[in-house]
């Protein structure tokens, strides 16, 4: 359990507390005026939600994935050619494969005990995929979590694994 403190406009209080309740299991919201402005202070206890369904493991998600060197080549070629977006689905495939590639590199680094910025880079690519899917650019699987789902927002790399596994099955 942890506590979150937010300082916001009183008109935003409802929107903020609703968003928190969607992302976490929350307790009662305690409110008080801000000491230095006309803002409102909100205090809420929260807990991470238990996943109703687990994300695919990397082994499950990437079982049909080409080797990492091959994916680096594919991603670099698409970025260099700048032929996408020939079709909107090409944009989605590019970000899906790039995010999956970076996730796999970050996982390999962790396994090898190497400390790099790979996890942060993988997270940023995963967030870009979420943005692409939220914008309706491609056909995401959304099973069990769609791009706006709090679990997908909380774990973008898990979302990449879900979507890559579904994409690889149907490819």
């Amino acid at each position: 359990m942890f506590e979150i403190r937010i300082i916001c406009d009183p008109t935003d209080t409802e929107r903020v507390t609703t968003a928190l309740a969607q992302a976490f299991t929350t307790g009662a919201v305690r409110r008080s005026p801000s000491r230095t402005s006309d803002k409102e202070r909100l205090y809420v206890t929260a807990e991470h939600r238990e996943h109703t369904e687990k994300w695919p493991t990397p082994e499950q998600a990437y079982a049909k994935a080409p080797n990492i060197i091959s994916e680096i080549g594919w991603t670099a070629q698409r970025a260099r050619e700048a032929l996408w977006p020939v079709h909107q689905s090409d944009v989605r495939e590019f970000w899906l494969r790039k995010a999956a590639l970076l996730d796999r590199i970050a996982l390999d680094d962790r396994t090898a005990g190497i400390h790099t910025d790979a996890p942060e880079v993988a997270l940023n690519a995963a967030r870009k995929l979420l943005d692409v899917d939220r914008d309706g650019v491609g056909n995401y699987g959304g099973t069990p979590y769609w791009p706006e789902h709090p679990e997908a927002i909380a774990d973008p790399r898990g979302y990449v694994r879900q979507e890559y596994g579904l994409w690889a099955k149907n490819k």
Side-chain angles (χ1 to χ4, degrees):
M1 179 178 291
F2 52 95
E3 183 165 272
I4 299 171
R5 180 182 73 155
I6 298 169
I7 300 173
C8 65
D9 285 324
T11 57
D12 290 333
T13 300
E14 187 64 33
R15 187 169 49 94
V16 168
T17 56
T18 299
L20 285 172
Q22 289 175 345
F24 302 102
T25 301
T26 58
V29 177
R30 297 177 316 280
R31 300 172 186 205
S32 60
S34 175
R35 294 182 184 130
T36 59
S37 67
D38 60 346
K39 308 278 187 198
E40 188 169 39
R41 285 184 294 162
L42 309 176
Y43 295 90
V44 61
T45 56
E47 290 186 46
H48 291 284
R49 290 182 187 235
E50 292 297 318
H51 292 294
T52 53
E53 290 194 42
K54 295 194 185 287
W55 296 109
T57 65
E59 295 77 21
Q60 293 167 328
Y62 304 131
K64 295 184 176 185
N67 70 50
I68 287 178
I69 300 299
S70 184
E71 281 296 88
I72 289 171
W74 183 92
T75 305
Q77 180 181 358
R78 292 305 176 283
R80 186 179 61 247
E81 290 172 353
L83 292 178
W84 57 278
V86 174
H87 300 292
Q88 292 296 334
S89 62
D90 292 343
V91 173
R92 198 226 184 224
E93 181 180 357
F94 174 81
W95 283 105
L96 174 63
R97 290 177 71 173
K98 181 177 180 176
L101 167 65
L102 293 169
D103 184 46
R104 292 168 62 199
I105 291 170
L107 291 166
D108 284 353
D109 284 0
R110 185 179 68 195
T111 300
I114 301 169
H115 299 286
T116 66
D117 66 346
E120 182 179 340
V121 173
L123 182 60
N124 289 336
R127 287 180 177 145
K128 177 63 179 176
L129 177 65
L130 280 168
D131 290 343
V132 166
D133 284 356
R134 272 193 297 266
D135 291 343
V137 172
N139 293 324
Y140 60 86
T143 305
Y145 303 116
W146 59 95
E148 298 86 3
H149 195 285
E151 296 296 340
I153 294 165
D155 188 0
R157 288 176 61 192
Y159 178 79
V160 168
R161 293 177 198 138
Q162 167 191 282
E163 293 300 305
Y164 190 89
L166 292 168
W167 174 80
K169 274 188 215 173
N170 298 318
K171 188 178 124 177

